[in-house]
Amino acid sequence: ERDDFMYNHRSPVPAEDFEIAMRAYEWPRKMIDIMKEATTKANAEHKEFEQQLKKRRKEFGEVLEKYAVEMEQYHNKNEIMKRDQIATEVSELSEQLKAAAEEADYINGQEKMFGWALTKYGNVAKITSTLEPYVTLWTTISQFYDKFAAWMNGPFYKLNPEEVESETNEAFRKLFKSTKYFSGAGGGELRSAPLAVAEEGKHKVQSFLEHLPLINAICNPGLQERHWVALADIVGFEIKRDEVTSLRRLLDHDIASHLQKVSEVSDQASREWSIEKALDKMATDWDGMAFELGPWKETGTFILKGGPVEDAQILLDDHIVKSQAMTSSPFAAPFMDRLGPWEKKLVRFQDIIEQWLKCQSKWLYLEPIFGADEIMKQIPREGQAFRDMDTIWRRIMDRVHTNPLMSEVADTPGLLEELQKCNRSLDIVEKGLNDFLDTKKMAFPRFFFLSNDELLEILSEAKDPLRVQPFVKKCFESVRELIFEAEGEITGLLSIEGEKIPFMDSVNPASSGAVEVWLLEVEGAMKRTLHKVAGESIEAYTKGPRSKWILNWPGQLVLNCSQVFWTREVSLSIETAGAEGLKAYAGKCTEELNKIVNLVRGQLTSLERATCGSLVVVDVHARDVVTDMAERGVNDIRDFNWESQMRYYWEFHDAPPSGVHPQETLVVRMINAEALYGYEYLGNSGRLVITPLTDRCYRTLMGAIHMNLGGAPAGPAGTGKTETTKDLSKALAIQCVVFNCSDGLDYRAMGKFFKGLACSGAWACFDEFNRIELEVLSVVAQQVLTIIRAKAAQLKTFQFEGVEIRLNPTCNTFITMNPGYAGRSELPDNLKALFRDVAMMVPDYAMIAEIMLYSYGYLEARSMARKLVQTYRLCSEQLSSQDHYDYGMRAVMSVLRAAGNLKRSFPMSAEDVLMLRAINDVNLPKFLDQDVPLFNGILSDLFPGVSLPEVDYENIKNAIIEQCKESNLQPLESFITKIIQLYEMIIVRHGLMLVGWSFGMKTCAYRVLAAALTDLNKQGLNDEHATKFYVLNPKSVSMGQLYGQEDAVSKEWTDGILAVLFRNAARDTSPDRKWLIFDGPVDAIWIENMNTVLDDNKKL
């Protein structure tokens, strides 16, 4: 049945296909016959090729014998008359022998293929080497005799002396070698026939060599008509430079007897010619050289670009030196009519360029300033002078733009005088402007801390006070903006944290007009208001519960005024009951502290939470001090343990810093030092945890202030040098300007800074002070000493760098140094003597962590702090050592901030869970794979049985996966984990580093995260913000291009790439995240200037 089915449904095969298949089956049988046939044919061809090779070999042997016979004939040839024929024959034989050598190689190759023994053709090389001297001899003889005839009988003026000399010397060298060879001197056989030819040729060349000095003299290309006249006088006949006058004819006229005098004339001609050539070359060097002009902003005129100007300056320096050297040469007489004017032109052009660049740099600086009507109104005399100069400048630039060729610009009549006139005008204008700015700075000293450009920008916007708003933050540290009413009056201020302070009396900018006047009034209003509010808050303190009082007053005054009552109550306890009284008061302090911690754990606004957090920090220290004094048995108010604390008093004073008539004010005392509270508004910012190290630092710095000296905290990174100085300024309510020093600072910049300090009464904290150059530091010592002496003499005004300025006695200078870095100066002794040193060592991490956690509302703060410190100690001991692992103060602070954020977000969660998550979030991302299990082991030992709940990153993960698809990236689990860790790190730090090998997903990670966060923002999820990022490679540009520099030619300050990006990001008021990414290797050279940006100052 199956067979039937297959037969019925078979596919029939066409007959021709069947035939092909059959033929294919038969092929193997045919192959044997085909192979036999092929073998027979190959054998026959092999024999034929062998026969051909034998025949070729025999013929080649005969040819070689013929060559050998021909070669023998040359031993006896000496017919010098047939030199050309013999030279041709010998050259042909030489070529034939070269071909024979190639034929011998070919025949040997064929023999090798047939497996025969190789025939030796050594006689080819032998014949060739024997023939070589004959080839040299006869070709040299032939060529020299031909040239000799041409040189002697042709027109002499067409001879090239260098060529004649070179060819004659070469012929003599070859013939000398030939005579030596054929004479048998080199150990060979004596050949008399060729030797005679060589000797005759050599004598011929030698006799011609004697004429070379004459040829050099009369064929000199430098000989001019005046020289030919002189030569005619010497030889007694006119030397014609025509086709008939040959060297032979001149020799027949006995010119050789005058050789010495002819050579002298020729030598002089050469030197004169070299001067002429140099002059011509200088002129052609300037051909085509033109100024490059570029349009300048919207001014409608042009400025010089640096490149061609630099080339011109290099050329001018070179040409002026050359021209002066030529002028002093005795051979320059024929060209003095050219040289004199040329040298004058060059010197004048050099002066023009110098004056031009000077003029341009000042014009560039002043043009935008006098473009503002407001400034023109304020300094009309200088404004008019600038306008007059500007007209001349534009006329010059238009003229040069029309014809920029330098050689023609240099000939412009009156150009130098016009530029000199412009520069004289600009000097007057610049001096007037600087005097004007100085009067503004003296009127409102905080302007000293701004750059001139910023100050001019403020002054040019002065007619609209609202336009000055962006600069308020630079004048008043913690003020975000001033509160303007509809009619333009300023009624208060708003801090960066959002705290609002209404002024007790409003400021009207319109009534004063000048920006520096109403800003000074704002400063006065701020201080008077804080003074008044301080008095009111002290009055209100006793009228209700403290926990309510702290929420009703500005954070800054809550801290300081509560200190007044603490001081009062501690003094009272000591006076009434001594140590026992202190013990009882310590109990009251603990009770008050717990009330505030409970407040922190409750529902508070962010402002109230900030106030309470700072108060906890201060109150914990206050309680610890009271407990410590009780244990030490303090019974006397004069006891050092009490005297050495920072104590606040509300006392009567003749001249409080707020400028109000004599009345009660805050006074701060520590040991024998006393300082008046400055009433500078510093916002509702956090306070440092006060450890014994902080206390010691405060005591030293307060002592320094008392003795009119500066303070110099020094120590490793992360020990709180700058922060402690800033915190003391908060405690005394004095403005503190933090400045990151770099090696680019000069004494003028420092002098400007010190003027500002002296006039405003502010403090300056110079960070990394020993990065300044040593020469500058010695001048700085003198500047600081001048201020210290004026303070000690209690002067109202004093002379500083030749200017009379007023002195506000609260001013002071603090410097912080990190002694361990390379490239740091050692401070000069005269500077060291003006500062009191404080050695800042490793802070007490456990104590700081405990108090910070208290302030965030943690009840188990002590236990959590110990676990945190223990974690870092174990990590530093057990984990591998990596450059990017850091277990210092900054790392601890990151964990504490993360813990605070988590406590606010999850107030009801267990505290050990929150702490464990904070430690994990901040540290896990930076550990290498091999360290992660060890780290997890440490945490499981310190937090036994605590398991972390999964964090809900559902939305962000989905957004990341979506972005990976869009970017054609694999959404690997490890990649997503790293992106989420990066996100967690961004939340707790404002500066961070992605570390890893190339192709380690670093760039992709931040790009995908930025895009994912932007997506979440569009979808309205997770309350996220859109993200913008700016990328630059810090190593692809110089330091000047990165941070900013002065142009060497125009002296115009150019902001660096980073400064521009940073400022744009800072001015962008949108809530978007803004990331500045340095995509490139980190090194100490560029990262050092980022110190103050990356620490808590956040300032570039």
Side-chain angles (χ1 to χ4, degrees), residues 35 49 108 171 199 490 552 588 644 732 777 785 910 925 996 1042 1050:
M35 290 298 286
F49 285 140
N108 284 159
E199 289 284 4
I490 302 169
N552 295 333
K588 185 187 171 190
S644 65
L732 301 179
L777 288 178
L785 183 63
L1042 188 61
S1050 67

Side-chain angles (χ1 to χ4, degrees), residues 1078-1092:
F1078 292 94
D1079 198 342
V1082 172
D1083 63 34
I1085 297 168
W1086 69 262
I1087 198 79
E1088 280 237 287
N1089 292 331
M1090 295 290 291
N1091 274 0
T1092 39

Side-chain angles (χ1 to χ4, degrees), residues 890 990-992 1087 1090-1096 1098-1099:
R890 290 190 173 128
H990 69 276
L992 55 104
I1087 198 79
M1090 295 290 291
N1091 274 0
T1092 39
V1093 182
L1094 295 171
D1095 67 15
D1096 290 345
K1098 304 183 188 177
K1099 266 206 194 104

